[in-house]
């Protein structure tokens, strides 16, 4: 289970152009997890991916769909609504790349065993408040590339991954994710979401590990995200500064994405409240100097600062002041595309880096 969640986190770490997903890969993960938990309900062997497994002429298979044991695939069929008569033992439904506009109350009635629902790249703008009723086994809900303007009500209670990338969401209402105590991955990138659109208490009850809000309209780091997050993606926004209060709530943070913003200023001590931080992205901003207090972050191993306006680097900007202080060695420091003259940087500046390949310097070109 932990390995699967890690794969989810890695896959969602950066927003990318839409690409169809292979639902059979998720089915393999599902079977592995069921085997690990000794919860197999049948003796079917689902490891064979040959097309012979599909039976689109089966009378129990919905029209215009292909069916294999516990999987219904209806992608790229021009569907305008959810197919009828989906088998009740279905575990995964693939409805990618259709023209579905709304989800009605009874569209998934009886599908209590459903584990993954993929509705990517449709035209969905409306979801009935009771559409996900009695779907207690649903873990993966993908609604990216649709026309939703807010978070649907009454989401499945045991979902672990929610993906709303590239909709039209400009508001996250209070208690939008109420009851989703098992949620680990929440992708909200590429929505027209501003700080004012995030209501206080929007993330009540949530213990998410990853939150993605890249390519939105944020002008500051959101202050009311789940305190449990270990990875936060805020790249491609309009954030102008980083302050101490921004990360006080996020003490478990390990990876932070702030690249491609408009950051000119990082207040001293801004990252001290994230003692477990391992990777920080600040590339392509407007920084004129290395952010202060990086040398106090014991576990920091990767810091991206390329594409800024940094003109000088101090000998203690990255490494502890005392030689005996415990510090994980850096594996990556990027400083290229800055106006700093690399020949003016003292060699001791990178004394806590794994080797010469751990630092990327280059000539600055206007």
């Amino acid at each position: 289970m932990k390995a699967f969640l890690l794969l989810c986190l890695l896959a969602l770490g950066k927003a990318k152009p839409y690409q169809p997903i292979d639902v059979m890969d998720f089915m393999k993960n599902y079977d592995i997890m069921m085997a690990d938990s000794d919860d197999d309900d049948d003796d079917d062997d689902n490891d064979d991916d040959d097309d012979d497994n599909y039976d689109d002429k089966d009378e129990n298979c919905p029209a215009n769909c292909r069916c294999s044991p516990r999987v219904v695939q209806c992608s790229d069929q021009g569907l305008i609504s959810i197919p009828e008569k989906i088998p009740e033992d279905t575990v995964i439904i693939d409805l990618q790349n259709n023209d579905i506009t709304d989800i009605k109350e009874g569209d998934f009635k009886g599908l209590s065993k459903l584990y993954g629902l993929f509705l990517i790249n449709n035209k969905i703008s409306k979801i009935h408040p009771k559409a996900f009723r009695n779907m207690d086994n649903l873990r993966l809900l993908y609604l990216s590339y649709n026309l939703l303007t807010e978070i649907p009500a009454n989401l499945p209670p045991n979902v672990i991954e929610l993906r709303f990338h590239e909709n039209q969401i400009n508001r996250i209402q209070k208690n939008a994710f109420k009851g989703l105590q098992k949620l680990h991955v929440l992708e909200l990138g590429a929505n027209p979401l501003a700080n004012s659109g995030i209501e206080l208490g929007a993330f009540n009850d949530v213990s998410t590990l990853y939150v993605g809000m890249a390519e939105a309209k944020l002008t500051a780091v959101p202050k009311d995200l789940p305190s449990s997050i270990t990875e936060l993606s805020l790249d491609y926004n309009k954030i102008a500064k980083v302050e101490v209060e921004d990360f006080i709530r996020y003490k478990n943070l390990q990876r932070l994405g702030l690249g491609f913003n408009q950051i000119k200023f990082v207040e001293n001590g801004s990252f001290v409240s994230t003692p477990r931080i391992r990777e920080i992205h600040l590339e392509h901003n407007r920084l004129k100097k290395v952010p202060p207090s990086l040398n106090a972050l014991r576990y920091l191993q990767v810091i991206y600062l390329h594409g800024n306006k940094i003109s000088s680097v101090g000998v203690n900007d990255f490494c502890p002041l005392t030689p005996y202080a415990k510090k994980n060695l850096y594996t990556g420091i990027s400083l290229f595309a800055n106006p700093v003259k690399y020949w003016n940087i003292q060699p001791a500046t990178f004394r806590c880096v794994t080797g010469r390949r751990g630092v990327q310097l280059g000539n600055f070109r206007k």
Side-chain angles (χ1 to χ4, degrees):
M1 181 68 173
K2 290 182 179 179
F4 174 70
L5 289 176
L6 180 59
L7 289 173
C8 290
L9 289 172
L10 293 175
L12 295 176
K14 293 185 178 179
K16 298 179 180 179
Y18 168 69
Q19 292 181 347
I21 60 173
D22 186 349
V23 297
M24 297 310 295
D25 290 338
F26 290 90
M27 192 63 195
K28 290 178 182 178
N29 288 320
Y30 171 82
D31 285 335
I32 290 171
M33 286 189 292
M34 292 300 100
D36 288 344
S37 62
D38 295 323
D39 194 28
D40 282 330
D41 294 328
D42 55 60
D43 296 324
D44 292 337
D45 184 358
N46 295 297
D47 291 333
D48 186 357
D49 288 333
D50 293 336
D51 288 339
D52 293 340
N53 277 341
Y54 291 104
D55 188 1
D56 52 7
K57 297 181 181 179
D58 188 342
E59 62 180 8
N60 293 321
C61 189
N64 300 317
C65 298
R66 296 189 303 168
C67 296
S68 60
R70 298 179 294 169
V71 178
V72 176
Q73 292 189 268
C74 312
S75 60
D76 302 280
Q77 296 299 316
L79 300 176
I80 59 174
S81 61
I82 305 298
E84 298 180 354
K85 299 180 180 179
I86 298 173
E88 291 187 357
D89 64 346
T90 299
V91 170
I92 288 180
I93 301 177
D94 177 12
L95 289 161
Q96 299 178 88
N97 306 326
N98 282 292
D99 297 315
I100 299 169
T101 57
D102 66 314
I103 298 177
K104 301 177 179 64
E105 177 180 355
D107 280 346
F108 303 114
K109 185 177 181 180
L111 302 180
S112 60
K113 296 182 179 180
L114 198 61
Y115 171 83
L117 177 57
F118 302 96
L119 289 157
I120 304 170
N121 202 33
N122 277 274
K123 299 177 181 178
I124 299 169
S125 60
K126 183 179 179 181
I127 297 178
H128 194 280
K130 296 182 179 180
F132 302 120
R133 186 171 53 180
N134 298 325
M135 298 178 72
D136 292 347
N137 288 310
L138 192 67
R139 298 294 189 271
L140 310 176
L141 179 56
Y142 282 28
L143 283 159
S144 298
Y145 300 93
N146 277 285
L147 302 174
L148 295 171
T149 58
E150 62 180 26
I151 305 299
N154 302 318
L155 291 164
N158 294 313
V159 66
I160 61 173
E161 180 182 345
L162 279 172
R163 191 170 184 179
F164 295 105
H165 183 265
E166 199 156 318
N167 274 266
Q168 296 179 8
I169 297 171
N170 56 20
R171 173 177 172 264
I172 302 179
Q173 61 273 29
K174 183 179 181 180
N175 296 322
F177 307 101
K178 186 174 178 60
L180 305 188
Q181 297 180 4
K182 297 183 180 180
L183 185 64
H184 284 78
V185 176
L186 177 59
E187 178 57 69
L188 292 162
N191 281 284
L193 184 63
N195 292 80
S196 59
I198 305 173
E199 294 185 8
L200 186 64
F203 297 92
N204 286 344
D205 291 346
V206 181
S207 57
T208 300
L209 299 179
Y210 169 88
V211 173
M213 289 185 172
E215 300 180 77
K217 293 186 177 181
L218 301 174
T219 56
V221 176
K223 304 295 193 300
D224 195 35
L225 299 177
S227 61
S228 57
I229 54 175
T230 60
E231 182 171 351
L232 176 60
S233 175
L234 299 173
D235 305 281
Y236 293 95
N237 276 284
K238 297 180 180 180
I239 298 171
K241 61 182 178 179
V242 176
E243 300 176 310
V244 170
E245 63 178 11
D246 287 345
F247 300 105
I248 289 177
R249 180 178 169 83
Y250 313 131
K251 299 184 184 302
N252 297 317
L253 200 60
Q254 296 183 22
R255 184 185 183 279
L256 174 62
L258 284 168
F260 294 89
N261 275 276
Q262 301 171 11
I263 299 171
K264 296 180 179 180
F265 172 73
V266 176
E267 187 177 0
N268 188 16
S270 293
F271 302 119
V272 172
S273 58
T274 60
R276 296 181 177 86
I277 195 78
R278 297 176 184 273
E279 183 173 334
I280 299 175
H281 289 251
L282 281 163
E283 69 272 22
H284 293 284
N285 277 283
R286 301 176 183 177
L287 295 171
K288 294 184 178 180
K289 61 180 181 179
V290 175
S293 301
L294 295 182
N295 57 7
L297 301 175
R298 176 178 175 181
Y299 297 103
L300 184 63
Q301 293 179 287
V302 176
I303 176 73
Y304 288 172
L305 293 166
H306 56 272
N308 278 278
K309 299 180 179 181
I310 298 171
S311 58
S312 65
V313 176
V315 69
N316 294 316
D317 279 350
F318 299 103
C319 303
L321 297 175
T322 58
Y324 301 106
K326 292 184 178 180
K327 170 75 175 77
N328 284 10
L329 296 179
Y330 286 95
T331 57
I333 297 176
S334 68
L335 284 163
F336 62 89
N338 279 287
V340 59
K341 295 180 174 63
Y342 64 87
W343 54 85
N344 287 337
I345 301 177
Q346 297 184 41
T349 300
F350 305 118
R351 59 189 179 275
C352 57
V353 182
T354 52
R356 70 176 69 181
R357 294 186 178 180
V359 181
Q360 293 84 48
L361 290 167
N363 292 329
F364 174 70
R365 297 179 181 179
K366 293 184 178 180

